[in-house]
mmCIF file of all heavy atoms in Angstrom:
data_model
loop_
_atom_site.group_PDB
_atom_site.id
_atom_site.type_symbol
_atom_site.label_atom_id
_atom_site.label_comp_id
_atom_site.label_asym_id
_atom_site.label_seq_id
_atom_site.Cartn_x
_atom_site.Cartn_y
_atom_site.Cartn_z
ATOM 1 N N TYR K 32 36.099 113.537 55.291
ATOM 2 C CA TYR K 32 36.099 112.346 54.430
ATOM 3 C C TYR K 32 37.550 111.716 54.536
ATOM 4 O O TYR K 32 38.519 112.446 54.731
ATOM 5 C CB TYR K 32 35.839 112.701 52.967
ATOM 6 C CG TYR K 32 34.597 113.503 52.771
ATOM 7 C CD1 TYR K 32 34.617 114.783 52.421
ATOM 8 C CD2 TYR K 32 33.397 112.831 52.849
ATOM 9 C CE1 TYR K 32 33.568 115.519 52.183
ATOM 10 C CE2 TYR K 32 32.185 113.592 52.610
ATOM 11 C CZ TYR K 32 32.293 114.933 52.290
ATOM 12 O OH TYR K 32 31.126 115.670 51.997
ATOM 13 N N GLN K 34 39.685 108.948 52.022
ATOM 14 C CA GLN K 34 39.649 108.229 50.729
ATOM 15 C C GLN K 34 40.832 107.288 50.494
ATOM 16 O O GLN K 34 41.971 107.544 51.131
ATOM 17 C CB GLN K 34 39.677 109.240 49.504
ATOM 18 C CG GLN K 34 38.511 110.269 49.683
ATOM 19 C CD GLN K 34 38.454 111.124 48.498
ATOM 20 O OE1 GLN K 34 39.072 110.919 47.434
ATOM 21 N NE2 GLN K 34 37.704 112.276 48.584
ATOM 22 N N TYR K 36 43.147 105.298 47.518
ATOM 23 C CA TYR K 36 43.524 105.262 46.093
ATOM 24 C C TYR K 36 44.471 104.101 45.794
ATOM 25 O O TYR K 36 45.197 103.779 46.723
ATOM 26 C CB TYR K 36 44.110 106.599 45.659
ATOM 27 C CG TYR K 36 43.227 107.745 45.553
ATOM 28 C CD1 TYR K 36 42.806 108.398 46.717
ATOM 29 C CD2 TYR K 36 42.736 108.177 44.341
ATOM 30 C CE1 TYR K 36 41.888 109.419 46.617
ATOM 31 C CE2 TYR K 36 41.892 109.324 44.269
ATOM 32 C CZ TYR K 36 41.455 109.882 45.401
ATOM 33 O OH TYR K 36 40.561 110.944 45.363
ATOM 34 N N GLN K 38 47.592 103.062 43.161
ATOM 35 C CA GLN K 38 48.532 103.674 42.191
ATOM 36 C C GLN K 38 49.496 102.614 41.705
ATOM 37 O O GLN K 38 50.161 101.917 42.443
ATOM 38 C CB GLN K 38 49.317 104.836 42.810
ATOM 39 C CG GLN K 38 50.181 105.631 41.758
ATOM 40 C CD GLN K 38 50.803 106.816 42.303
ATOM 41 O OE1 GLN K 38 51.140 106.957 43.484
ATOM 42 N NE2 GLN K 38 51.042 107.814 41.430
ATOM 43 N N GLY K 41 54.273 104.467 37.536
ATOM 44 C CA GLY K 41 54.227 105.407 36.408
ATOM 45 C C GLY K 41 52.905 105.889 36.045
ATOM 46 O O GLY K 41 52.714 106.524 34.999
ATOM 47 N N ARG K 42 51.827 105.672 36.882
ATOM 48 C CA ARG K 42 50.510 106.059 36.569
ATOM 49 C C ARG K 42 49.998 106.987 37.693
ATOM 50 O O ARG K 42 50.564 107.068 38.837
ATOM 51 C CB ARG K 42 49.584 104.848 36.459
ATOM 52 C CG ARG K 42 50.041 103.748 35.653
ATOM 53 C CD ARG K 42 50.096 104.112 34.130
ATOM 54 N NE ARG K 42 48.810 104.448 33.624
ATOM 55 C CZ ARG K 42 48.531 104.797 32.266
ATOM 56 N NH1 ARG K 42 49.595 104.860 31.520
ATOM 57 N NH2 ARG K 42 47.378 104.972 31.951
ATOM 58 N N GLY K 43 48.893 107.720 37.449
ATOM 59 C CA GLY K 43 48.269 108.539 38.433
ATOM 60 C C GLY K 43 47.488 107.622 39.396
ATOM 61 O O GLY K 43 47.066 106.523 38.968
ATOM 62 N N PRO K 44 47.184 108.083 40.590
ATOM 63 C CA PRO K 44 46.304 107.300 41.462
ATOM 64 C C PRO K 44 44.901 107.171 40.999
ATOM 65 O O PRO K 44 44.440 107.961 40.158
ATOM 66 C CB PRO K 44 46.292 108.139 42.747
ATOM 67 C CG PRO K 44 47.504 109.063 42.674
ATOM 68 C CD PRO K 44 47.689 109.349 41.216
ATOM 69 N N PHE K 46 40.986 106.420 42.161
ATOM 70 C CA PHE K 46 40.096 106.508 43.344
ATOM 71 C C PHE K 46 39.429 105.093 43.474
ATOM 72 O O PHE K 46 38.936 104.493 42.537
ATOM 73 C CB PHE K 46 39.001 107.566 43.139
ATOM 74 C CG PHE K 46 37.954 107.502 44.152
ATOM 75 C CD1 PHE K 46 38.137 108.020 45.380
ATOM 76 C CD2 PHE K 46 36.691 107.135 43.740
ATOM 77 C CE1 PHE K 46 37.154 108.044 46.307
ATOM 78 C CE2 PHE K 46 35.587 107.134 44.687
ATOM 79 C CZ PHE K 46 35.875 107.608 45.954
ATOM 80 N N LEU K 49 35.549 106.038 49.331
ATOM 81 C CA LEU K 49 35.451 107.172 50.165
ATOM 82 C C LEU K 49 34.661 106.881 51.372
ATOM 83 O O LEU K 49 33.550 106.129 51.245
ATOM 84 C CB LEU K 49 34.930 108.464 49.429
ATOM 85 C CG LEU K 49 34.588 109.685 50.229
ATOM 86 C CD1 LEU K 49 34.804 110.848 49.369
ATOM 87 C CD2 LEU K 49 33.376 109.663 50.857
ATOM 88 N N LEU K 89 47.230 104.393 48.588
ATOM 89 C CA LEU K 89 47.365 105.634 49.263
ATOM 90 C C LEU K 89 46.082 105.981 50.024
ATOM 91 O O LEU K 89 44.987 105.827 49.468
ATOM 92 C CB LEU K 89 47.595 106.733 48.264
ATOM 93 C CG LEU K 89 48.837 106.618 47.347
ATOM 94 C CD1 LEU K 89 48.698 107.453 46.133
ATOM 95 C CD2 LEU K 89 50.041 107.145 48.190
ATOM 96 N N ASP K 93 40.546 114.621 53.557
ATOM 97 C CA ASP K 93 40.032 115.947 53.252
ATOM 98 C C ASP K 93 40.157 116.784 54.549
ATOM 99 O O ASP K 93 39.543 116.395 55.520
ATOM 100 C CB ASP K 93 38.568 115.898 52.844
ATOM 101 C CG ASP K 93 37.870 117.058 53.128
ATOM 102 O OD1 ASP K 93 38.350 118.215 52.959
ATOM 103 O OD2 ASP K 93 36.647 116.925 53.501
ATOM 104 N N GLY K 101 34.957 125.226 49.972
ATOM 105 C CA GLY K 101 35.326 125.732 48.740
ATOM 106 C C GLY K 101 36.903 125.640 48.540
ATOM 107 O O GLY K 101 37.345 125.725 47.434
ATOM 108 N N ASN K 102 37.572 125.502 49.605
ATOM 109 C CA ASN K 102 39.056 125.325 49.557
ATOM 110 C C ASN K 102 39.409 123.913 49.909
ATOM 111 O O ASN K 102 40.244 123.585 50.686
ATOM 112 C CB ASN K 102 39.782 126.245 50.546
ATOM 113 C CG ASN K 102 39.689 127.657 50.095
ATOM 114 O OD1 ASN K 102 39.362 127.972 48.896
ATOM 115 N ND2 ASN K 102 39.916 128.616 51.023
ATOM 116 N N GLU K 103 38.692 122.935 49.342
ATOM 117 C CA GLU K 103 38.766 121.588 49.649
ATOM 118 C C GLU K 103 40.047 121.002 48.868
ATOM 119 O O GLU K 103 40.207 121.253 47.740
ATOM 120 C CB GLU K 103 37.542 120.794 49.279
ATOM 121 C CG GLU K 103 36.323 121.290 49.898
ATOM 122 C CD GLU K 103 35.093 120.713 49.338
ATOM 123 O OE1 GLU K 103 35.131 120.252 48.193
ATOM 124 O OE2 GLU K 103 34.044 120.773 49.986
ATOM 125 N N LYS K 104 40.797 120.257 49.593
ATOM 126 C CA LYS K 104 41.923 119.499 48.959
ATOM 127 C C LYS K 104 42.235 118.291 49.802
ATOM 128 O O LYS K 104 41.837 118.192 50.964
ATOM 129 C CB LYS K 104 43.168 120.370 48.915
ATOM 130 C CG LYS K 104 43.790 120.758 50.211
ATOM 131 C CD LYS K 104 45.050 121.581 49.995
ATOM 132 C CE LYS K 104 45.684 121.891 51.322
ATOM 133 N NZ LYS K 104 45.212 123.098 51.870
ATOM 134 N N LEU K 105 42.824 117.353 49.131
ATOM 135 C CA LEU K 105 43.232 116.112 49.787
ATOM 136 C C LEU K 105 44.731 116.165 50.173
ATOM 137 O O LEU K 105 45.517 116.729 49.472
ATOM 138 C CB LEU K 105 43.049 114.928 48.850
ATOM 139 C CG LEU K 105 41.604 114.518 48.555
ATOM 140 C CD1 LEU K 105 41.596 113.332 47.551
ATOM 141 C CD2 LEU K 105 40.854 114.103 49.843
ATOM 142 N N PHE K 107 47.655 113.537 51.147
ATOM 143 C CA PHE K 107 47.935 112.045 50.992
ATOM 144 C C PHE K 107 48.966 111.567 51.957
ATOM 145 O O PHE K 107 49.928 112.295 52.370
ATOM 146 C CB PHE K 107 48.486 111.825 49.547
ATOM 147 C CG PHE K 107 47.414 111.805 48.515
ATOM 148 C CD1 PHE K 107 46.993 113.056 47.982
ATOM 149 C CD2 PHE K 107 46.757 110.716 48.042
ATOM 150 C CE1 PHE K 107 45.973 113.116 47.005
ATOM 151 C CE2 PHE K 107 45.791 110.760 47.032
ATOM 152 C CZ PHE K 107 45.408 111.976 46.552
ATOM 153 N N GLY K 108 48.845 110.283 52.256
ATOM 154 C CA GLY K 108 49.901 109.566 52.986
ATOM 155 C C GLY K 108 50.963 109.156 52.056
ATOM 156 O O GLY K 108 50.884 109.413 50.842
ATOM 157 N N THR K 109 52.017 108.521 52.469
ATOM 158 C CA THR K 109 53.116 108.169 51.659
ATOM 159 C C THR K 109 52.827 106.846 50.917
ATOM 160 O O THR K 109 53.572 106.469 49.992
ATOM 161 C CB THR K 109 54.400 107.974 52.485
ATOM 162 O OG1 THR K 109 54.174 107.083 53.495
ATOM 163 C CG2 THR K 109 54.841 109.270 53.021
ATOM 164 N N ARG R 9 53.832 113.403 28.518
ATOM 165 C CA ARG R 9 53.982 112.413 29.542
ATOM 166 C C ARG R 9 55.365 112.490 30.182
ATOM 167 O O ARG R 9 55.494 112.214 31.372
ATOM 168 C CB ARG R 9 53.824 111.040 28.866
ATOM 169 C CG ARG R 9 52.389 110.707 28.513
ATOM 170 C CD ARG R 9 51.438 110.536 29.783
ATOM 171 N NE ARG R 9 52.024 109.708 30.843
ATOM 172 C CZ ARG R 9 51.969 108.454 30.900
ATOM 173 N NH1 ARG R 9 51.294 107.815 30.009
ATOM 174 N NH2 ARG R 9 52.455 107.773 31.959
ATOM 175 N N ARG R 31 36.403 121.531 39.134
ATOM 176 C CA ARG R 31 37.559 121.712 40.035
ATOM 177 C C ARG R 31 38.638 121.028 39.390
ATOM 178 O O ARG R 31 38.607 119.911 38.886
ATOM 179 C CB ARG R 31 37.224 121.128 41.390
ATOM 180 C CG ARG R 31 36.037 121.849 42.112
ATOM 181 C CD ARG R 31 35.670 121.088 43.308
ATOM 182 N NE ARG R 31 34.403 121.654 43.860
ATOM 183 C CZ ARG R 31 34.163 121.948 45.157
ATOM 184 N NH1 ARG R 31 35.109 121.585 46.045
ATOM 185 N NH2 ARG R 31 33.043 122.445 45.501
ATOM 186 N N TYR R 33 42.943 120.339 40.107
ATOM 187 C CA TYR R 33 44.054 120.276 41.117
ATOM 188 C C TYR R 33 45.395 119.908 40.472
ATOM 189 O O TYR R 33 45.429 119.091 39.561
ATOM 190 C CB TYR R 33 43.770 119.176 42.200
ATOM 191 C CG TYR R 33 42.463 119.382 42.923
ATOM 192 C CD1 TYR R 33 41.291 118.810 42.244
ATOM 193 C CD2 TYR R 33 42.346 119.974 44.133
ATOM 194 C CE1 TYR R 33 40.090 118.864 42.884
ATOM 195 C CE2 TYR R 33 41.104 120.030 44.760
ATOM 196 C CZ TYR R 33 39.953 119.517 44.139
ATOM 197 O OH TYR R 33 38.778 119.569 44.708
ATOM 198 N N TYR R 35 49.127 118.364 41.649
ATOM 199 C CA TYR R 35 49.916 117.799 42.723
ATOM 200 C C TYR R 35 51.288 117.411 42.174
ATOM 201 O O TYR R 35 51.479 117.267 40.965
ATOM 202 C CB TYR R 35 49.224 116.446 43.226
ATOM 203 C CG TYR R 35 48.104 116.658 44.167
ATOM 204 C CD1 TYR R 35 46.876 117.086 43.730
ATOM 205 C CD2 TYR R 35 48.342 116.406 45.539
ATOM 206 C CE1 TYR R 35 45.869 117.276 44.631
ATOM 207 C CE2 TYR R 35 47.265 116.514 46.434
ATOM 208 C CZ TYR R 35 46.036 116.969 46.057
ATOM 209 O OH TYR R 35 45.015 117.155 46.897
ATOM 210 N N GLN R 37 54.525 114.660 42.855
ATOM 211 C CA GLN R 37 54.929 113.357 43.606
ATOM 212 C C GLN R 37 56.311 113.029 43.307
ATOM 213 O O GLN R 37 56.769 112.944 42.118
ATOM 214 C CB GLN R 37 53.984 112.227 43.178
ATOM 215 C CG GLN R 37 54.131 110.974 43.919
ATOM 216 C CD GLN R 37 53.137 109.955 43.611
ATOM 217 O OE1 GLN R 37 52.610 109.895 42.548
ATOM 218 N NE2 GLN R 37 52.804 109.015 44.584
ATOM 219 N N GLN R 41 56.990 108.856 47.780
ATOM 220 C CA GLN R 41 56.135 109.769 48.523
ATOM 221 C C GLN R 41 54.745 109.812 47.878
ATOM 222 O O GLN R 41 54.503 109.487 46.785
ATOM 223 C CB GLN R 41 56.662 111.180 48.553
ATOM 224 C CG GLN R 41 58.137 111.261 49.105
ATOM 225 C CD GLN R 41 58.156 110.865 50.580
ATOM 226 O OE1 GLN R 41 57.292 111.310 51.397
ATOM 227 N NE2 GLN R 41 59.085 110.014 50.945
ATOM 228 N N GLY R 42 53.832 110.249 48.801
ATOM 229 C CA GLY R 42 52.470 110.492 48.285
ATOM 230 C C GLY R 42 52.367 111.785 47.525
ATOM 231 O O GLY R 42 53.288 112.664 47.665
ATOM 232 N N PRO R 43 51.361 112.002 46.738
ATOM 233 C CA PRO R 43 51.237 113.315 46.058
ATOM 234 C C PRO R 43 51.065 114.446 47.003
ATOM 235 O O PRO R 43 50.493 114.332 48.117
ATOM 236 C CB PRO R 43 49.867 113.124 45.290
ATOM 237 C CG PRO R 43 49.744 111.687 45.117
ATOM 238 C CD PRO R 43 50.325 111.076 46.362
ATOM 239 N N PHE R 45 50.095 118.494 47.488
ATOM 240 C CA PHE R 45 49.128 119.556 46.857
ATOM 241 C C PHE R 45 49.983 120.717 46.444
ATOM 242 O O PHE R 45 50.843 121.223 47.168
ATOM 243 C CB PHE R 45 48.129 119.924 47.918
ATOM 244 C CG PHE R 45 47.251 121.190 47.579
ATOM 245 C CD1 PHE R 45 46.288 120.991 46.637
ATOM 246 C CD2 PHE R 45 47.595 122.301 47.984
ATOM 247 C CE1 PHE R 45 45.476 122.031 46.322
ATOM 248 C CE2 PHE R 45 46.866 123.456 47.625
ATOM 249 C CZ PHE R 45 45.809 123.338 46.746
ATOM 250 N N TYR R 48 44.866 124.665 43.289
ATOM 251 C CA TYR R 48 43.491 124.252 43.101
ATOM 252 C C TYR R 48 42.750 125.382 42.421
ATOM 253 O O TYR R 48 42.804 126.532 42.870
ATOM 254 C CB TYR R 48 43.020 123.839 44.403
ATOM 255 C CG TYR R 48 41.435 123.951 44.647
ATOM 256 C CD1 TYR R 48 40.601 123.259 43.777
ATOM 257 C CD2 TYR R 48 40.967 124.598 45.719
ATOM 258 C CE1 TYR R 48 39.208 123.276 44.037
ATOM 259 C CE2 TYR R 48 39.657 124.708 45.998
ATOM 260 C CZ TYR R 48 38.769 123.980 45.155
ATOM 261 O OH TYR R 48 37.417 124.068 45.303
ATOM 262 N N LEU R 55 41.961 129.094 43.805
ATOM 263 C CA LEU R 55 41.482 129.332 45.128
ATOM 264 C C LEU R 55 42.540 129.170 46.253
ATOM 265 O O LEU R 55 42.472 129.655 47.247
ATOM 266 C CB LEU R 55 40.252 128.476 45.430
ATOM 267 C CG LEU R 55 38.973 128.755 44.662
ATOM 268 C CD1 LEU R 55 37.800 127.960 45.100
ATOM 269 C CD2 LEU R 55 38.714 130.202 44.666
ATOM 270 N N GLU R 56 43.525 128.282 45.947
ATOM 271 C CA GLU R 56 44.471 127.983 46.959
ATOM 272 C C GLU R 56 45.870 127.586 46.245
ATOM 273 O O GLU R 56 45.888 126.921 45.229
ATOM 274 C CB GLU R 56 44.075 126.909 47.832
ATOM 275 C CG GLU R 56 44.855 126.686 49.087
ATOM 276 C CD GLU R 56 44.316 125.793 50.187
ATOM 277 O OE1 GLU R 56 43.148 125.463 50.019
ATOM 278 O OE2 GLU R 56 45.024 125.379 51.093
ATOM 279 N N LEU R 98 34.378 116.987 46.236
ATOM 280 C CA LEU R 98 35.387 116.146 46.836
ATOM 281 C C LEU R 98 34.872 114.831 47.297
ATOM 282 O O LEU R 98 35.586 113.851 47.199
ATOM 283 C CB LEU R 98 35.955 116.988 47.961
ATOM 284 C CG LEU R 98 37.204 116.299 48.616
ATOM 285 C CD1 LEU R 98 38.370 116.192 47.594
ATOM 286 C CD2 LEU R 98 37.680 117.217 49.827
ATOM 287 N N ARG R 99 33.650 114.744 47.613
ATOM 288 C CA ARG R 99 33.123 113.547 48.203
ATOM 289 C C ARG R 99 33.047 112.434 47.197
ATOM 290 O O ARG R 99 32.794 111.212 47.539
ATOM 291 C CB ARG R 99 31.750 113.744 48.856
ATOM 292 C CG ARG R 99 30.725 114.324 47.929
ATOM 293 C CD ARG R 99 29.418 114.654 48.602
ATOM 294 N NE ARG R 99 28.546 115.473 47.856
ATOM 295 C CZ ARG R 99 27.242 115.595 48.131
ATOM 296 N NH1 ARG R 99 26.760 114.960 49.165
ATOM 297 N NH2 ARG R 99 26.485 116.272 47.366
ATOM 298 N N TYR R 100 33.167 112.789 45.950
ATOM 299 C CA TYR R 100 33.183 111.688 44.958
ATOM 300 C C TYR R 100 34.651 111.304 44.418
ATOM 301 O O TYR R 100 34.882 110.686 43.445
ATOM 302 C CB TYR R 100 32.355 112.070 43.758
ATOM 303 C CG TYR R 100 30.926 112.326 44.068
ATOM 304 C CD1 TYR R 100 30.416 113.637 43.819
ATOM 305 C CD2 TYR R 100 30.223 111.385 44.718
ATOM 306 C CE1 TYR R 100 29.033 113.782 44.191
ATOM 307 C CE2 TYR R 100 28.891 111.622 45.100
ATOM 308 C CZ TYR R 100 28.346 112.858 44.796
ATOM 309 O OH TYR R 100 26.969 113.064 45.165
ATOM 310 N N GLY R 101 35.616 111.847 45.175
ATOM 311 C CA GLY R 101 36.998 111.406 44.793
ATOM 312 C C GLY R 101 37.492 112.184 43.576
ATOM 313 O O GLY R 101 36.818 112.887 42.892
ATOM 314 N N TYR R 102 38.803 112.106 43.435
ATOM 315 C CA TYR R 102 39.504 112.734 42.297
ATOM 316 C C TYR R 102 39.595 111.755 41.101
ATOM 317 O O TYR R 102 39.850 110.538 41.408
ATOM 318 C CB TYR R 102 40.918 113.167 42.697
ATOM 319 C CG TYR R 102 41.095 114.308 43.590
ATOM 320 C CD1 TYR R 102 42.396 114.608 44.007
ATOM 321 C CD2 TYR R 102 40.041 115.059 44.174
ATOM 322 C CE1 TYR R 102 42.645 115.659 44.807
ATOM 323 C CE2 TYR R 102 40.324 116.082 45.039
ATOM 324 C CZ TYR R 102 41.622 116.328 45.320
ATOM 325 O OH TYR R 102 41.849 117.420 46.249
ATOM 326 N N PHE R 104 42.441 111.342 38.418
ATOM 327 C CA PHE R 104 43.768 111.715 38.110
ATOM 328 C C PHE R 104 44.151 111.540 36.721
ATOM 329 O O PHE R 104 43.663 110.507 36.110
ATOM 330 C CB PHE R 104 44.840 111.054 39.012
ATOM 331 C CG PHE R 104 45.072 111.632 40.351
ATOM 332 C CD1 PHE R 104 44.285 111.259 41.450
ATOM 333 C CD2 PHE R 104 45.967 112.695 40.653
ATOM 334 C CE1 PHE R 104 44.490 111.741 42.708
ATOM 335 C CE2 PHE R 104 46.170 113.191 41.846
ATOM 336 C CZ PHE R 104 45.387 112.779 42.895
ATOM 337 N N GLY R 105 44.942 112.308 36.155
ATOM 338 C CA GLY R 105 45.635 112.011 34.903
ATOM 339 C C GLY R 105 46.867 111.091 35.137
ATOM 340 O O GLY R 105 47.197 110.728 36.312
ATOM 341 N N SER R 106 47.551 110.658 34.056
ATOM 342 C CA SER R 106 48.671 109.798 34.202
ATOM 343 C C SER R 106 49.958 110.570 34.613
ATOM 344 O O SER R 106 50.964 109.973 34.825
ATOM 345 C CB SER R 106 48.950 109.062 32.911
ATOM 346 O OG SER R 106 47.855 108.126 32.694
#
Side-chain angles (χ1 to χ4, degrees):
Chain K
Y32 308 106
Q34 303 185 16
Y36 288 77
Q38 188 172 27
R42 311 292 295 181
F46 172 71
L49 176 150
L89 299 158
D93 152 40
N102 288 344
E103 301 167 340
K104 64 175 184 277
L105 289 179
F107 285 83
T109 54
Chain R
R9 287 294 311 277
R31 298 170 189 223
Y33 306 81
Y35 279 76
Q37 187 176 26
Q41 300 297 313
F45 171 79
Y48 153 55
L55 294 187
E56 190 170 349
L98 188 59
R99 56 185 168 163
Y100 299 123
Y102 288 179
F104 278 90
S106 292

